Every structure is written in C-alpha cells, then in structure tokens.
C-alpha cells in the first residue's frame, strides 16, 4: 500500500514537472518569437481615407491602427454621417467595413451621394458567404468590392461588379497575443462561438467521449441549448457574451482550441439562399494562432495558403477524426506546443492587419487595371 502511494506521488510529481517544462518552453518560445517579429514598419501612402467601421471590435481596432500607419491621413467616421463627413473631408476614398447589420437604412443612398462628389468608394465584406442575400444588394453601389471569401468572387462579378478582389482577413496582434496560462481559464478543449447547427452536430457526436474521459470542456456563446447533450454539458457552457478581449485568456489557457467554420447552408443561421460556397478561413483561425495556442480546425480550401497543416495548425475532416486527434494531442504536449508556436510565428510574419493593410492599399490603387 505504501509503495503504491509512493509510486502515485512520483507520477504526480513527474506529470507536474513535464507540464511545467512544456508550459515554460511555450511561454519562452512565444516571447522570443514576438520579440523577433515586431509589427512591420510602414511607409505611409499619400492618401486621405475615410474609414467607416462596422463595430467588430477586433477587426476595426486592428485595421484602424494599421491604416493609421499606412496612409498619410486617416479619418474614422460613422455610418450615420457618412455622406456629410465625406463632403467635409473630401477623402480620396471611403472604405466601408462590411456595410451590414448596424448600418442605417439610407446607407446606400449616402454612398450614392459620396460617388456623385467624385469620391471613390470601397467595401470589404467579411461576413461572406453567410449574408449574400444582403451583400448582393449592396455590392453594385460601390466602386471597389473586397471580400474575404473566395467563394463569392464570381457571384459579385455576375451581378455587374467590375472591380472585385479577394482579400483575406487578418489579426489584431496587439490584442490577440500570447499570455501566461491562468488556471482560472484552463480547459482541455475550448470552443468560443455560436452554436450553429453544424457545430451542434459535431459537438453532440464527440460529447460522450469527452465526458467519459473527464475532459475539462469550455464552450461559450449562444444557441448551445440546441445540443442533444445540453443537460450533461451545461456545467461547461458559458452563455454570457464574451468580448474579444475576454476570449484571450481562455484561448491562452486551453490545451486545445477547436475552430469549426459556420455552415453555409441557407436557413435560420444564414442569409445564403444563393448557396455561395465557403472556401476561405474565418478570422478565428488567425486569432487562435496569434495567442500561441494549439488549434484543431475543420478544413477550408484556402487554409494551406495561410498555414501549413501538421506544422503550423492541425486539421480534422469529421467527428471521428476530431475526437481521435483530441485524444492524441492531449497526450502529446510537446507536439501541441511545437505546432502552436509555429502557428504564432506564421501569423506574426504574414497575417497581421499591418501586413494586410499593405495588400489592401495595393488593391485600391490598382483600380482601372484588369481585376485579379
């Protein structure tokens, strides 16, 4: 009995040592990478821009900061006074983020007034393809249409938009960044987002396996009452809305963060009666990676252009593969840490809003050339 207790204590100490070692290695590696890859220095383009935010905290703040360093004169306006502000400022271009949800009913009328003054207008759709019933109405009113979704390029061209470009999203690296793990936010498996039906099906399919193995789960967002296993998972579900800033300690303190792209099927969760496909990765992909956290994501077509699977990110195709990889990587902390740190390096090198602002301005200044 005494020998058994001693062996148990040794195993606990060994486990604690290994966890501490890998946590320290991850923290040190993240700190080193962040120091070696500071935000790029930018030479401002001679341009006066009026930027109209949508109200997406992480996107707007990251892009505004990047544009302030990228153009000689940036004005941040409001959708309600867009035309009035454009008349007063006389910008070279008005850039609208998304132009949906929170915008006033007369928004497109205001865009028309701006164009009558000879001011160029651009919109960057970042809810594609989930809102195409609404974006196809708005898109033809702008001079330049940008979309983060490969699957909607031809859609906008088919309705007469002649200057359409694919521009992927990015991350506000000053917000989403590595932090030391905090036991108050710790989990084995974490997912933060709405319980859309495809996510419900996936979580229901693996829930019994997670519960049977006593995994520490953290789910946050709305619509999770749709789960068949809701009563059993309810203790792990945080139903209050989390701001972008509040998600960061959960990402940093999780062993595995799952990324499940939203279904593109038309229905109660989407305005996509046009059935545009989902081919591009979501902003969550960059945000998780920017925290130096191990990510398991379902596969979108353009993912390999931004992260190398098995080296900078890990993927799954179905519930069985997801459950198997959760089991595998929870037992292999070294592999988790290595992939997470590689993902952070790639993000800071290629996928910050400062890097994306350079591409954005190149596309804006290409107007008049053949569309790419």
């Amino acid at each position: 009995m005494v020998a058994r207790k001693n062996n148990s204590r040794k195993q606990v100490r060994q486990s604690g040592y290994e966890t501490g070692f890998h946590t320290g290695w991850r923290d040190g590696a993240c700190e080193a990478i962040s120091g070696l890859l500071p935000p790029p220095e930018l030479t401002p383009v001679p341009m006066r821009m009026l930027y109209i935010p949508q109200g997406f905290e992480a996107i707007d703040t990251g892009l505004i900061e990047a544009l302030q360093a990228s153009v000689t004169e940036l004005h941040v306006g409001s959708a309600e006074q867009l035309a009035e502000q454009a008349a007063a400022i006389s910008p070279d271009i008005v850039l609208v983020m998304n132009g949906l949800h929170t915008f006033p009913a007369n928004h497109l009328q205001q865009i028309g007034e701006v164009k009558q003054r000879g001011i160029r207008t651009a919109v960057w759709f970042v809810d594609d393809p989930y809102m195409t019933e609404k974006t196809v109405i708005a898109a033809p009113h702008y001079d330049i249409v940008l979309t983060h979704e490969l699957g909607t390029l031809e859609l906008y061209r088919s309705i007469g938009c002649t200057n359409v470009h694919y521009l992927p999203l990015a991350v506000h690296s000053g917000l989403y960044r590595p932090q030391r793990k905090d036991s108050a936010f710790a989990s084995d498996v974490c997912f933060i987002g709405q319980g859309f039906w495809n996510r419900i099906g996936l979580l229901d399919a693996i829930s019994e396996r997670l519960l049977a193995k006593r995994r520490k789960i953290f789910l946050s967002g709305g619509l999770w009452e749709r789960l068949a296993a809701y009563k059993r998972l309810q203790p792990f579900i945080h139903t209050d809305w989390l701001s972008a800033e509040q998600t960061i300690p959960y990402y940093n303190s999780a062993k595995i963060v799952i990324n499940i792209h939203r279904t593109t099927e038309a229905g109660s969760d989407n305005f996509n009666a046009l059935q545009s496909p989902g081919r591009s990765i979501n902003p969550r992909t960059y945000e998780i990676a920017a925290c130096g956290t191990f990510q398991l994501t379902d596969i979108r077509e353009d993912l390999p252009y931004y992260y190398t699977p098995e080296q900078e990110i890990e993927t799954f195709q179905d519930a069985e593969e997801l459950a198997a990889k959760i089991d595998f990587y929870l037992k292999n902390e070294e592999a988790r840490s290595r992939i997470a740190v590689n993902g952070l390096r790639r993000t800071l090198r290629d996928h910050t809003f400062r890097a994306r602002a350079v591409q954005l301005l190149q596309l804006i200044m290409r107007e008049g050339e053949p569309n790419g």
Side-chain angles (χ1 to χ4, degrees):
M1 179 68 75
V2 173
R4 204 174 289 169
K5 282 183 179 178
N6 287 338
N7 284 337
S8 178
R9 286 177 186 143
K10 281 177 72 175
Q11 288 171 354
V12 169
R13 282 198 301 271
Q14 180 65 22
S15 175
Y17 168 79
E18 290 176 359
T19 299
F21 172 81
H22 288 298
T23 298
W25 182 88
R26 176 260 185 190
D27 290 346
C30 287
E31 187 174 338
I33 288 169
S34 299
L36 289 170
L37 294 169
E41 292 292 328
L42 301 174
T43 302
V45 171
M47 179 184 292
R48 182 184 299 126
M49 177 183 289
L50 174 60
Y51 176 72
I52 307 297
Q54 170 76 50
F56 298 137
E57 178 188 0
I59 294 175
D60 285 324
T61 55
L63 186 55
I64 288 168
E65 180 187 277
L67 290 172
Q68 285 171 335
S70 303
V71 298
T72 51
E73 191 176 333
L74 178 72
H75 298 265
V76 180
S78 69
E80 288 73 22
Q81 284 85 43
L82 187 156
E84 181 182 340
Q85 291 164 337
I89 297 166
S90 191
D92 298 304
I93 192 163
V94 174
L95 173 62
V96 173
M97 177 54 69
N98 224 33
L100 304 171
H101 311 308
T102 60
F103 280 54
N106 70 343
H107 172 66
L108 296 179
Q109 178 186 329
Q110 291 192 68
I111 290 294
E113 293 172 14
V114 170
K115 290 173 67 175
Q116 285 176 359
R117 292 181 176 274
I119 299 170
R120 289 189 301 161
T121 59
V123 64
W124 189 359
F125 290 129
V126 296
D127 265 343
D128 282 343
Y130 315 111
M131 303 293 292
T132 51
E133 294 168 43
K134 298 180 183 293
T135 58
V136 292
I137 297 171
H141 292 262
Y142 293 91
D143 297 309
I144 303 169
V145 175
L146 308 170
T147 175
H148 81 120
E149 173 53 64
L150 276 171
T152 55
L153 284 174
E154 291 307 317
L155 171 64
Y156 295 128
R157 289 170 180 153
S158 73
I159 60 171
C161 300
T162 57
N163 199 0
V164 183
H165 302 281
Y166 166 58
L167 182 64
L169 273 165
V171 69
H172 180 7
S173 56
L175 180 64
Y176 287 94
R177 61 190 187 281
Q179 297 177 351
R180 294 193 181 279
K181 295 179 182 294
D182 186 331
S183 59
F185 301 95
S187 64
D188 293 324
V189 179
C190 169
F191 179 82
I192 298 175
Q194 293 289 88
F196 296 124
W197 282 114
N198 65 310
R199 296 170 178 171
I200 294 295
L202 200 59
L203 268 295
D204 268 331
I206 67 171
S207 60
E208 289 304 316
R209 188 160 168 175
L210 293 175
L211 291 166
K213 297 193 174 187
R214 297 187 178 182
R215 304 302 190 199
K216 188 173 183 180
I217 306 164
F218 181 79
L219 295 177
S220 180
L223 304 177
W224 291 106
E225 66 277 3
R226 294 172 168 183
L227 285 162
Y230 179 71
K231 287 187 177 179
R232 295 194 66 194
L233 289 172
Q234 192 171 6
F236 306 106
I237 299 173
H238 180 93
T239 55
D240 292 339
W241 179 80
L242 292 176
S243 68
E245 195 164 350
Q246 289 172 317
T247 66
I248 295 165
Y250 287 105
Y251 282 166
N252 271 276
S253 302
K255 293 179 180 177
I256 295 173
V257 178
I258 302 173
N259 183 12
I260 309 168
H261 287 79
R262 180 173 168 178
T263 180
T264 60
E265 292 180 9
S268 59
D269 291 340
N270 290 320
F271 294 91
N272 189 27
L274 300 173
Q275 294 294 307
S276 293
R279 298 168 58 193
S280 297
I281 58 178
N282 58 21
R284 186 182 289 108
T285 313
Y286 307 110
E287 292 163 359
I288 298 167
C291 290
T293 295
F294 177 80
Q295 178 176 180
L296 254 174
T297 182
D298 56 351
I299 301 169
R300 282 285 174 92
E301 179 184 325
D302 68 356
L303 176 67
Y305 294 104
Y306 300 100
Y307 294 98
T308 303
E310 299 182 8
Q311 295 180 32
E312 299 167 332
I313 201 167
E314 186 55 279
T315 63
F316 64 90
Q317 296 193 53
D318 53 33
E320 180 55 38
E321 186 174 17
L322 173 59
K325 286 190 173 179
I326 287 173
D327 289 345
F328 174 80
Y329 281 105
L330 285 177
K331 295 175 184 175
N332 289 273
E333 192 160 3
E334 183 177 346
R336 283 202 325 266
S337 297
R338 184 184 69 253
I339 292 171
V341 167
N342 287 342
L344 171 65
R345 181 188 294 110
R346 181 68 179 275
T347 304
L348 294 181
R349 192 189 74 189
D350 297 335
H351 306 317
T352 65
F353 271 115
R354 282 203 167 205
R356 208 66 84 229
V358 174
Q359 297 172 270
L360 167 67
L361 293 173
Q362 288 172 343
L363 292 174
I364 286 174
M365 292 186 293
R366 276 177 55 188
E367 185 175 357
E369 297 180 17
N371 290 322

